């Protein structure tokens, strides 16, 4: 059954995903673990899935989203499960909660283990209250548990814990490194999902560009995007909190949080920066479109936008296996500084600007990041890859050299952030390059970011994002909607 039936699809207009995606992931995982000297024969991977949570002290359930490592391994949509994979044989066991009879009244049908075995194409399904006894029957030499640092959040991922675990030999050192590295490189099945998610999110961005008008609220454009990715594409979740910034709000890199909740009125002269991505089957997209509310760029807006676009396209032309991501960031910095000098905002030698890290004044974030089941996906800083301490470069979420089947964002930007400009003007080593009158003219205009999602291929890259990008394309596209 599982070989022909999709494990996930939300209507015929959405992408079907098959359980073979996760079977392949498990095969990759155990093959990699067998090559690790510290992993003994007879070891078993044990993962704990996400738990159903309630809002604070209430009985209101939050919408469940599966824990990412568990989803990558098993593709299970239900909460409160565990999973085990025998490293020697690849045999996969899913442990599901034993639900009370009243569940059927309030939550729906209680399915037997056989249902989940067929649905998720695993070798065996047991109940979570049987984990210890089932594992003892298998006599594992050790349990490989997940424990390691997420280099984006600084948080340590949660290890599986269950009654009776103290009776087993447990090992925490191998699994996190190996499974995270597996997640860095996407399979063809994973890439198919990510292409779909990008297509749906690209279309939703275009719908926002079509419908935006002066006088609307930023949150109305956020709402339109979320409706489009869910209604058209089955994306119940967004990959992250939507950034629907207009005007000066676009100078706040992660605008849209509770303290700045996409609540400004969009004005006619504003330049917008909309950073929004749908999530399908736990796989992410991350797209930023910058465009004028009016549908027409002013001369300053065009210069600002095209400086960033030049950097984006320069990086795309350079991306290929073996290229260091840090060098790509520096390339984007250089192209943007050259454009700002050409426009009269900067003066002096570009190499000297680079040495003083002047680019970080205008682009304080990193050029881009890994993307997959998490929008800031894991594996950015494995052992041996060091994070730079330099401004801008220290914000990079990876400093690795690129390889085929990595998925990343390319997202250069230029922002006019008051406190960063003030710091630079007060620093003689940087202020000597800045033309104060010209730079200050852009204060209050916000920022431009152009963010696309790419796959590293054998000889370059594949662009998944499909939205209008040049000024001419944007004006022509937005102009059509205003003529209708």
């Amino acid at each position: 059954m599982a070989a022909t039936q999709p494990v996930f699809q939300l209507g015929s207009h959405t992408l079907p995903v098959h359980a073979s995606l996760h079977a392949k992931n498990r095969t990759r995982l155990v093959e990699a673990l067998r090559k690790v000297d510290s992993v003994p024969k007879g070891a078993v991977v044990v993962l704990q899935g996400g738990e159903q949570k309630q809002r604070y002290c209430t009985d209101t359930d939050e919408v469940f989203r599966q824990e990412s490592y568990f989803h990558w391994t098993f593709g299970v949509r239900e909460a409160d499960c565990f999973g085990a994979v025998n490293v020697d044989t690849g045999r996969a066991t899913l442990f599901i909660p034993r639900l009370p009879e009243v569940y059927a009244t309030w939550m729906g049908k209680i399915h037997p283990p056989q249902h989940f075995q067929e649905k998720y194409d695993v070798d065996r399904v047991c109940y979570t209250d049987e984990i210890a006894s089932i594992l003892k029957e298998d006599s594992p030499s050790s349990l490989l548990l997940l424990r390691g640092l997420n280099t984006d959040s600084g948080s340590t991922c949660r290890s599986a814990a269950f009654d009776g675990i103290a009776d087993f030999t447990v090992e925490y050192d191998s699994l996190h490194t190996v499974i995270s590295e597996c997640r860095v490189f996407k399979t063809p099945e994973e890439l198919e999902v990510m292409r779909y998610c990008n297509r749906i999110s690209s279309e939703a961005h275009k719908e926002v560009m079509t419908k935006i008008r002066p006088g609307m609220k930023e949150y109305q454009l956020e709402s339109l995007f979320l409706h489009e990715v869910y209604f058209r594409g089955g994306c119940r979740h967004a990959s992250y909190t939507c950034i629907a910034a207009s005007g000066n709000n676009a100078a706040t890199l992660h605008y849209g949080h509770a303290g700045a909740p996409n609540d400004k009125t969009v004005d006619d002269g504003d330049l917008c920066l909309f950073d929004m991505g749908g999530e399908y089957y736990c796989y992410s997209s991350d797209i930023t479109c910058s465009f004028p509310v009016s549908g027409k760029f002013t001369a300053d807006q065009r210069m600002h936008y095209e400086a960033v676009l030049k950097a984006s396209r320069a990086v795309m032309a350079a991306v290929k296996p073996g290229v260091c991501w840090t060098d790509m960031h520096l390339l984007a910095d250089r192209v943007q500084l050259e454009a700002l000098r050409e426009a009269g905002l900067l003066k002096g030698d570009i190499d000297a600007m680079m040495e003083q890290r002047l680019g970080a004044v205008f682009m304080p974030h990193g050029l881009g990041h890994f993307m997959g089941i998490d929008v800031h996906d894991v594996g950015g800083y494995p052992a041996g890859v060091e994070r730079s301490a330099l401004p801008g470069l220290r914000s990079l979420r990876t400093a690795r050299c690129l390889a085929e089947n990595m998925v990343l964002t390319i997202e250069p930007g230029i922002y006019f952030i008051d406190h960063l400009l003030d710091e630079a003007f007060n620093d003689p080593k940087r202020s000597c390059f800045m033309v104060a009158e010209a730079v200050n003219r852009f204060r209050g205009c916000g920022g431009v970011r152009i963010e696309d999602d790419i796959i590293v291929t054998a000889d370059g890259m594949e662009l998944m994002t499909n939205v209008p990008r040049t000024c001419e394309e944007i004006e022509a596209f937005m102009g059509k909607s205003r003529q209708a």
Side-chain angles (χ1 to χ4, degrees):
M1 176 181 176
T4 57
Q5 294 292 330
V7 70
F8 182 84
Q9 187 176 25
L10 294 178
S12 59
H13 63 291
T14 67
L15 180 73
V17 184
H18 294 267
S20 58
L21 183 155
H22 305 284
K24 180 179 284 189
N25 284 348
R26 292 193 296 272
T27 298
R28 294 171 60 212
L29 175 61
V30 297
E31 287 177 350
L33 285 168
R34 289 172 197 155
K35 298 175 183 177
V36 178
D37 292 338
S38 60
V39 175
K41 292 283 187 181
V44 173
V45 171
V46 178
L47 295 172
Q48 182 170 354
E51 297 176 317
Q52 178 62 62
K53 295 182 179 180
Q54 287 72 42
R55 185 185 298 168
Y56 303 114
C57 64
T58 75
D59 63 350
T60 302
D61 283 346
E62 296 178 357
V63 177
F64 177 72
R65 194 271 195 189
Q66 186 59 265
E67 193 278 329
S68 295
Y69 285 102
F70 197 80
H71 180 78
W72 183 88
T73 310
F74 293 100
V76 172
R77 297 172 62 196
E78 291 79 9
D80 304 314
C81 297
F82 287 74
V85 184
N86 186 295
V87 175
D88 292 347
T89 66
R91 187 187 193 199
T93 304
L94 176 64
F95 297 94
I96 61 172
R98 195 187 300 271
L99 301 171
E101 289 185 8
V102 70
Y103 181 98
T105 301
W106 294 95
M107 306 299 285
K109 184 176 180 180
I110 299 175
H111 295 286
Q114 182 65 25
H115 166 84
F116 295 99
Q117 185 175 356
E118 294 175 352
K119 180 177 181 180
Y120 294 117
D121 197 20
V122 292
D123 300 291
R124 179 174 58 173
V125 176
C126 306
Y127 289 107
T128 53
D129 57 18
E130 302 174 310
I131 294 177
S133 60
I134 295 296
L135 290 178
K136 282 180 181 178
E137 291 175 7
D138 295 344
S139 301
S141 61
S142 66
L143 303 183
L144 307 183
L145 304 185
L146 191 66
R147 185 169 68 189
L149 182 71
N150 184 301
T151 56
D152 289 310
S153 67
S155 300
T156 299
C157 57
R158 179 184 179 185
S159 302
F162 56 87
D163 290 340
I165 195 171
D167 297 333
F168 298 87
T169 299
V170 298
E171 199 262 18
Y172 295 98
D173 297 330
S174 303
L175 179 58
H176 183 267
T177 299
V178 172
I179 195 171
S180 296
E181 190 67 5
C182 286
R183 282 179 57 183
V184 169
F185 300 94
K186 274 58 179 182
T187 64
E189 292 82 358
E190 290 180 295
L191 293 176
E192 183 181 14
V193 181
M194 298 193 74
R195 290 186 186 102
Y196 171 82
C197 195
N198 243 269
R199 178 170 64 81
I200 293 300
S201 295
S202 293
E203 291 301 314
H205 271 283
K206 289 159 70 173
E207 185 68 10
V208 170
M209 294 172 70
T210 297
K211 295 293 173 58
I212 192 169
R213 294 292 186 277
M216 296 180 74
K217 287 289 190 179
E218 293 166 334
Y219 71 79
Q220 291 179 297
L221 286 314
E222 173 190 15
S223 173
L224 177 60
F225 178 88
L226 294 173
H227 168 75
E228 286 295 312
V229 295
Y230 197 6
F231 186 82
R232 306 290 182 192
C235 299
R236 188 174 197 182
H237 296 274
S239 298
Y240 49 92
T241 301
C242 290
I243 299 168
S246 62
N248 193 45
N249 289 338
T252 301
L253 299 183
H254 281 175
Y255 179 76
H257 59 85
N262 296 329
D263 60 355
K264 175 183 171 297
T265 300
V266 175
D267 295 321
D268 190 35
D270 284 346
L271 198 61
C272 288
L273 186 160
F274 286 178
D275 184 341
M276 304 182 288
E279 178 184 283
Y280 186 79
Y281 193 61
C282 291
Y283 282 87
S284 303
S285 61
D286 189 356
I287 300 170
T288 305
C289 293
S290 298
F291 55 89
V293 174
S294 66
K296 291 286 186 181
F297 288 90
T298 66
D300 279 350
Q301 288 173 346
R302 179 178 289 267
M303 181 283 298
H304 188 177
Y305 184 89
E306 289 185 339
V308 179
L309 185 64
K310 286 178 184 177
S312 168
R313 274 30 191 178
V315 171
M316 287 187 183
V319 161
K320 61 182 178 181
V323 168
C324 178
W325 194 238
T326 302
D327 291 339
M328 294 296 94
H329 181 102
L330 293 173
L331 172 61
D333 265 350
R334 179 175 290 275
V335 171
Q336 292 186 159
L337 290 172
E338 289 172 346
L340 291 174
R341 185 180 66 175
E342 184 179 344
L345 279 72
L346 302 178
K347 60 184 179 179
D349 181 68
I350 296 295
D351 288 338
M353 295 180 200
M354 294 287 289
E355 186 175 340
Q356 294 301 321
R357 298 299 307 129
L358 187 66
V361 174
F362 300 98
M363 186 175 75
H365 60 73
L367 173 66
H369 50 81
F370 286 149
M371 190 176 70
I373 292 179
D374 292 311
V375 68
H376 295 156
D377 214 14
V378 296
Y381 285 94
V385 179
E386 299 297 325
R387 186 186 293 270
S388 173
L390 296 174
L393 295 176
R394 64 184 171 224
S395 297
L396 280 171
R397 297 181 186 276
T398 185
R400 294 179 64 159
C401 291
L402 302 185
E404 188 175 0
N405 295 325
M406 288 179 170
V407 173
L408 301 100
T409 65
I410 295 176
E411 49 180 304
I414 293 175
Y415 314 86
F416 294 89
I417 302 171
D418 283 334
H419 79 93
L420 293 182
L421 295 175
D422 293 342
E423 288 176 3
F425 277 125
N426 289 325
D427 176 7
K429 292 182 178 180
R430 293 180 290 173
S431 62
C432 62
F433 301 111
M434 301 169 69
V435 181
E437 183 178 356
V439 171
N440 287 333
R441 191 173 81 245
F442 284 82
R443 286 185 188 258
C445 78
V448 167
R449 180 163 62 252
I450 299 174
E451 183 174 16
D452 295 293
D453 302 340
I454 63 118
I455 304 165
V456 181
T457 62
D459 56 0
M461 51 143 276
E462 174 191 335
L463 176 62
M464 293 189 286
T465 306
N466 182 20
V467 295
R469 279 304 189 208
T470 68
C471 290
E472 292 75 18
E473 289 170 348
I474 291 169
E475 290 182 344
F477 181 81
M478 295 183 72
K480 288 180 183 178
S481 68
R482 282 154 174 75
Q483 294 169 4

